[in-house]
Amino acid sequence: MSELEKKTGRERGEEWWQTGIIEMSPGIIRLRGYEIQDLIGRVSFPAVIWLMLRGELPSEDQAALLGIALGAAVDHGPQAPSIAIARMAITCGVGINSAMASAVNVLGDVHGGAGEQALSFYGDIAVALDQGATLDEAVSARLGRFFAEEKGYVPGFGHRFHPIDPRAPRLIEVTRDFAARGVVSGRFADIAEAVEAEVARHKRKKIPLNIDGATAVIYGELGFPPPLTRGLFVLSRSVGILAHAWEQSQQSDRNKGPLPREWLWAYTGTPVRPFPAEGDEGK
């Protein structure tokens, strides 16, 4: 008989799910060991996010910087697929939760995943720095591998809509301010700016940092691993998704598609053709 089989039913039930995140029983809710009533009114939402993900409370400055990154990426308008999908879903008669789920489900590698990719890219450079390379050497080597072996755009740089993403320079400026006060090191800001400069040298034109690359800088400075960067973006963009779903729910549109109905798609199939006469099928 196994050790689990020897335990009482209650003990087996308690071991079925194990978590270090929450303790809950009648009249008791503790998050990471803190009584929920002690957190309420004393701890900001970004600080609670940090606590839930990291296990410890952040400093006020750490929570503030996390909140700044989260606030910067909440929305990018209905031209962003996630926002458009939320609005279209509402016009199909679903509830806000379904509209939000539909939108969040498209935040993948192409739309929503660039922050994770950017932080992984920065992390490779940081490892090289730890191994003794200079910043220029580390950046040049990583970009050299990217251009030789990988496809697509350098993650975190360039934007299909903005010549310069207005969010990115401000986020780097804020990161520098926090670094000057010793809240973060500024290392990932250095890496991002060095990558931007090296990409410009290689491409012979400037391809500026975008929101994904800039928020990746902050999440890296704060010590978040790359996979959590994608989750944090989902949290951030969910605010815009909720706002657009709610706004659309207050309008009278029904089944509103991606384009006005007078703008139809381009048909690229077989031209119009007669249906075969009886007896000619298969000839």
Side-chain angles (χ1 to χ4, degrees):
M1 183 178 293
S2 71
E3 288 302 314
L4 183 58
E5 290 173 328
K6 293 177 183 178
K7 295 180 182 293
T8 68
R10 178 172 177 173
E11 289 173 327
R12 289 199 300 271
E14 288 173 345
E15 291 189 4
W16 184 256
W17 289 115
Q18 297 182 30
T19 176
I21 297 172
I22 184 170
E23 181 182 2
M24 191 275 293
S25 60
I28 294 173
I29 301 173
R30 298 189 183 107
L31 303 181
R32 300 288 193 179
Y34 290 102
E35 302 281 1
I36 188 66
Q37 60 268 31
D38 292 338
L39 297 172
I40 293 172
R42 296 188 178 98
V43 177
S44 68
F45 185 41
V48 171
I49 293 170
W50 184 297
L51 173 65
M52 294 291 282
L53 295 177
R54 307 280 285 271
E56 300 293 339
L57 285 169
S59 69
E60 289 186 8
D61 282 334
Q62 288 172 326
L65 186 54
L66 175 59
I68 288 167
L70 291 169
V74 294
D75 193 10
H76 199 239
Q79 61 84 35
S82 54
I83 300 297
I85 286 168
R87 301 192 74 118
M88 286 190 291
I90 283 290
T91 70
C92 294
V94 304
I96 281 181
N97 59 316
S98 296
M100 292 184 70
S102 298
V104 166
N105 277 335
V106 300
L107 295 175
D109 288 343
V110 175
H111 175 41
E116 176 183 356
Q117 297 155 13
L119 185 50
S120 293
F121 195 92
Y122 300 158
D124 292 342
I125 295 169
V127 168
L129 294 176
D130 291 339
Q131 294 173 346
T134 67
L135 180 58
D136 287 344
E137 290 169 345
V139 168
S140 179
R142 183 63 185 91
L143 279 172
R145 293 198 306 275
F146 179 86
F147 291 129
E149 303 168 5
E150 302 175 50
K151 296 180 179 179
Y153 304 99
V154 178
F157 293 84
H159 202 288
R160 66 189 180 92
F161 190 83
H162 303 291
I164 296 177
D165 189 329
R167 300 163 291 187
R170 176 58 180 157
L171 287 173
I172 296 301
E173 179 184 13
V174 169
T175 302
R176 293 293 188 194
D177 290 342
F178 277 75
R181 293 191 280 115
V183 180
V184 294
S185 70
R187 185 187 209 195
F188 284 88
D190 291 340
I191 290 172
E193 290 185 338
V195 171
E196 184 179 64
E198 181 64 13
V199 169
R201 187 195 67 78
H202 181 87
K203 297 285 189 179
R204 296 183 179 178
K205 65 177 182 178
K206 185 174 182 178
I207 301 178
L209 193 68
N210 62 29
I211 182 65
D212 299 303
T215 51
V217 164
I218 291 179
Y219 295 142
E221 294 283 355
L222 293 174
F224 286 94
L228 279 182
T229 298
R230 186 181 304 215
L232 290 168
F233 176 78
V234 171
L235 284 177
S236 174
R237 184 52 58 89
S238 292
V239 177
I241 289 168
L242 173 59
H244 282 272
W246 173 248
E247 181 182 64
Q248 189 67 52
S249 74
Q250 306 305 297
Q251 300 175 12
S252 60
D253 299 302
R254 291 174 56 84
N255 294 331
K256 188 170 184 175
L259 290 172
R261 59 187 177 184
E262 62 270 19
W263 292 3
L264 297 179
W265 58 92
Y267 175 66
T268 58
T270 304
V272 62
R273 51 184 167 172
F275 188 79
E278 187 174 350
D280 289 344
E281 296 90 343
K283 290 184 179 180

